[in-house]
Amino acid sequence: MHQMRLLSASLVLAFGLTACGGSDSPDTPVVPVASASSGVLVDDLIAGATVFCDDNGNGVLDAGEKSAVTDSAGAYAFSSACSSQIASVAETGYDLTTLKAPKGQFIAPAGSGVVSPFTTLKVVSGLSDTEFQAVLSGLGLAGIDVATFNPVTDSARATTAAAVAKVLADIAELSAEAGGSPAAAFRGAVAAIATQARSSTTSVFASETSLRTMVNAAVSAGLNAGNKDSSGNAVWSASQLAAAVELSTQGLTVLAQKTREAASLSAAKDLLSSSAVLTLVSSVDLSDSSAVAAAKTQLSDATELAKPQYIYLSDDSIEIVPLKGEEVTATMTQFESSAGLTLSGQTLASLEHVWLPLTSTSLALPKGGADLVLGIEIENTATGGILQARLAGVTLSRDSQGTVKAMIDDAARLHLYLKTGTGIEIGTGTKAITDISAKILCSCDGGVGIDLQKIADGLRKNFPDNTSLIDKTLAETGTFRVRMVATGADMRRADGTRLGLSRIAVRTPGSSATAAEVGGVAIQGRVTF
């Protein structure tokens, strides 16, 4: 009976049998409009992303459309109920597993409590609820309601869903790495998976052949759709595209199968965050058939592909370099302890930079590097004085020895905020500093050095009337809480243990509003001057 009621409601909606023409007949059926005022954005959970009520269905956040930002658990809430399609803004926020901003846009039908790759499959396919069940059956997800399906909390189907999401995410990443359109690649792959899964008589995971067929369809459609740069020119030739499809199909089939076979979503995290396929495909000369054949052999090695790939602090150490005197090398354990570090005779004003010696595993970074957003927050525990900085537009790259270096992009953006112990505030607000000629990051011998002097210079340059106040604040002594947060790459401890997650919200002077924020992996501890 419940299914019959649902079918009846679906038929009413499909044929548009609503009250019209001003009729006041009590027999005129009234169809309720689906709406939702809150929900969750999930691939894994996606924090800090913008979600909006797409009233005109154009996929763009337009003026007047309700929007919200997801919290640390991927949840969002609109100011009032949304009766339209719900969409995310691509490349905002970060996935709690991959620590990257999703390259594709997620869409959900009106009234959905979840926005995910599977609601996106539903919308893009254009299928009715009944027809779409064939797609879900083909993906091994029969019977779910995509409007409420959260794979993070559905342990029975979590790894199956994750395997599909991994394929989609990597296709978009592959297109972006080549200089193509990740949004087009993602949508093309979504449509192909819906078509392929619907035509499958069994789950695509029933055999390696059927899985490879689905992955190949998604990769081929996605990379073809995304094979255009911003000027409309092809980024791969026809032969290069064919090689990229072949290699990507091989690697993603292996990773998808391994992901689905994992005991739990937690056990699959290394697979989901792995950039191994992206790194190998981006590094090979796609015009060289011998190089392509060698890469395909690597991408067939399930053991190698399943290994964790990450960036880490060499020896789990941090170096603090003063303008004068000996540098201090401290372990993460010391820095994170309740006592923290003691730097006698120093202040923030006398420190040159905090150095993070970074190394990576062999397949952690693609040829073009990883785009990173960095944040630092230093707070005086006694006075409440605080210094915050957020730098977007950082690229991490790896040399042949595994040493990681950083560079600032031309389009880098820096947000700054300073509050004194007496409550005086200065900062950039939402208008970022874009003329970043000084090297905020020092990357001379490998690793990343956050240059505190350059941050201080940025404050002085942009707030010349407050120079004496800035200098006085930076010369304070006492105990300071220090947090460094990064998103865009999988950064861990040297033994592969994952770092905790945190968020820095750079404040707006004279307001409770956030000027900019960064969330992701965090290194946090205490320093006493």
Side-chain angles (χ1 to χ4, degrees), residues 198-215:
R198 188 186 184 196
S199 65
S200 180
T201 55
T202 61
S203 166
V204 295
F205 292 99
S207 69
E208 182 182 340
T209 299
S210 58
L211 177 59
R212 185 180 298 275
T213 299
M214 184 202 74
V215 172

Side-chain angles (χ1 to χ4, degrees), residues 299-442:
L299 288 162
S300 304
D301 190 335
T303 301
E304 281 299 309
L305 288 188
K307 287 182 178 178
Q309 302 294 338
Y310 55 91
I311 301 165
Y312 59 95
L313 284 169
S314 303
D315 300 321
D316 278 338
S317 64
I318 300 171
E319 296 176 14
I320 300 174
V321 184
L323 292 170
K324 295 181 180 179
E326 297 294 323
E327 66 181 49
V328 176
T329 300
T331 65
M332 286 280 289
T333 302
Q334 291 173 310
F335 180 62
E336 294 172 330
S337 70
S338 57
L341 304 178
T342 298
L343 301 176
S344 300
Q346 302 288 351
T347 65
L348 284 174
S350 68
L351 296 185
E352 183 178 340
H353 58 256
V354 177
W355 187 270
L356 306 176
L358 297 178
T359 307
S360 80
T361 56
S362 60
L363 300 178
L365 290 170
K367 183 179 180 180
D371 295 329
L372 208 67
V373 181
L374 295 173
I376 185 167
E377 180 178 88
I378 304 171
E379 182 180 11
N380 189 315
T381 60
T383 68
I386 191 168
L387 170 66
Q388 297 176 315
R390 175 189 183 271
L391 179 62
V394 178
T395 300
L396 293 185
S397 60
R398 177 188 186 276
D399 65 19
S400 58
Q401 284 72 48
T403 300
V404 174
K405 297 187 177 183
M407 64 175 290
I408 297 178
D409 303 336
D410 292 338
R413 304 175 306 284
L414 176 65
H415 289 84
L416 294 169
Y417 173 84
L418 175 71
K419 185 181 79 170
T420 70
T422 56
I424 299 173
E425 300 174 288
I426 57 176
T428 56
T430 56
K431 187 175 176 59
I433 299 171
T434 55
D435 181 19
I436 308 173
S437 55
K439 290 186 177 179
I440 299 297
L441 298 182
C442 178

Side-chain angles (χ1 to χ4, degrees), residues 61-403:
L61 175 54
D62 297 311
E65 291 181 332
K66 293 185 287 286
S67 66
V69 176
T70 59
D71 64 15
S72 59
Y76 63 87
F78 296 127
S79 57
S80 59
C82 171
S83 301
S84 304
Q85 182 173 283
I86 306 165
S88 68
V89 177
E91 302 193 57
T92 63
Y94 65 99
D95 182 297
L96 296 189
T97 292
T98 67
L99 303 172
K100 297 178 181 178
K103 298 290 187 185
Q105 181 180 53
F106 299 118
I107 316 166
S112 298
V114 173
V115 182
S116 73
F118 303 98
T119 59
T120 309
L121 277 165
K122 173 68 169 64
V123 173
V124 171
S125 72
L127 299 172
S128 68
D129 291 344
T130 302
E131 292 170 328
F132 190 65
Q133 280 302 316
V135 175
L136 295 173
S137 294
L139 294 176
L141 299 170
I144 69 167
D145 177 359
V146 293
T148 59
F149 174 60
N150 184 344
V152 175
T153 58
D154 188 330
S155 58
R157 290 172 282 211
T159 58
T160 299
V164 177
K166 172 64 175 174
V167 171
L168 290 170
D170 270 29
I171 289 170
E173 291 277 356
L174 284 158
S175 181
E177 172 66 20
S181 171
F186 183 80
R187 193 175 181 91
V190 166
I193 283 181
T195 299
Q196 188 64 38
R198 188 186 184 196
S199 65
S200 180
T201 55
T202 61
S203 166
V204 295
F205 292 99
S207 69
E208 182 182 340
T209 299
S210 58
L211 177 59
R212 185 180 298 275
T213 299
M214 184 202 74
V215 172
N216 181 254
V219 170
S220 182
L223 295 191
N224 270 283
N227 191 33
K228 290 183 180 179
D229 62 19
S230 58
S231 300
N233 300 313
V235 295
W236 284 314
S237 68
S239 61
Q240 289 173 327
L241 178 60
V245 169
E246 180 183 11
L247 294 178
S248 302
T249 296
Q250 177 59 48
L252 290 181
T253 299
V254 172
L255 283 182
Q257 187 63 53
K258 295 288 287 185
T259 298
R260 187 174 186 266
E261 291 172 352
S264 65
L265 195 58
S266 178
K269 278 194 170 185
D270 286 340
L271 295 161
L272 296 173
S273 60
S274 174
S275 60
V277 174
L278 177 63
T279 298
L280 286 168
V281 175
S282 68
S283 300
V284 70
D285 181 353
L286 296 173
S287 301
D288 184 336
S289 58
S290 296
V292 170
K296 187 173 182 180
T297 298
Q298 284 184 277
L299 288 162
S300 304
D301 190 335
T303 301
E304 281 299 309
L305 288 188
K307 287 182 178 178
Q309 302 294 338
Y310 55 91
I311 301 165
Y312 59 95
L313 284 169
S314 303
D315 300 321
D316 278 338
S317 64
I318 300 171
E319 296 176 14
I320 300 174
V321 184
L323 292 170
K324 295 181 180 179
E326 297 294 323
E327 66 181 49
V328 176
T329 300
T331 65
M332 286 280 289
T333 302
Q334 291 173 310
F335 180 62
E336 294 172 330
S337 70
S338 57
L341 304 178
T342 298
L343 301 176
S344 300
Q346 302 288 351
T347 65
L348 284 174
S350 68
L351 296 185
E352 183 178 340
H353 58 256
V354 177
W355 187 270
L356 306 176
L358 297 178
T359 307
S360 80
T361 56
S362 60
L363 300 178
L365 290 170
K367 183 179 180 180
D371 295 329
L372 208 67
V373 181
L374 295 173
I376 185 167
E377 180 178 88
I378 304 171
E379 182 180 11
N380 189 315
T381 60
T383 68
I386 191 168
L387 170 66
Q388 297 176 315
R390 175 189 183 271
L391 179 62
V394 178
T395 300
L396 293 185
S397 60
R398 177 188 186 276
D399 65 19
S400 58
Q401 284 72 48
T403 300

Side-chain angles (χ1 to χ4, degrees), residues 455-490:
I455 292 175
D457 287 344
L459 283 167
R460 296 186 189 101
K461 177 182 177 181
N462 285 271
F463 307 101
D465 295 339
N466 300 102
T467 298
S468 61
L469 185 65
I470 293 168
D471 290 341
K472 182 179 178 180
T473 302
L474 296 177
E476 288 180 353
T477 58
T479 299
F480 294 77
R481 279 189 289 264
V482 179
R483 282 195 297 160
M484 292 169 282
V485 176
T487 187
D490 190 355

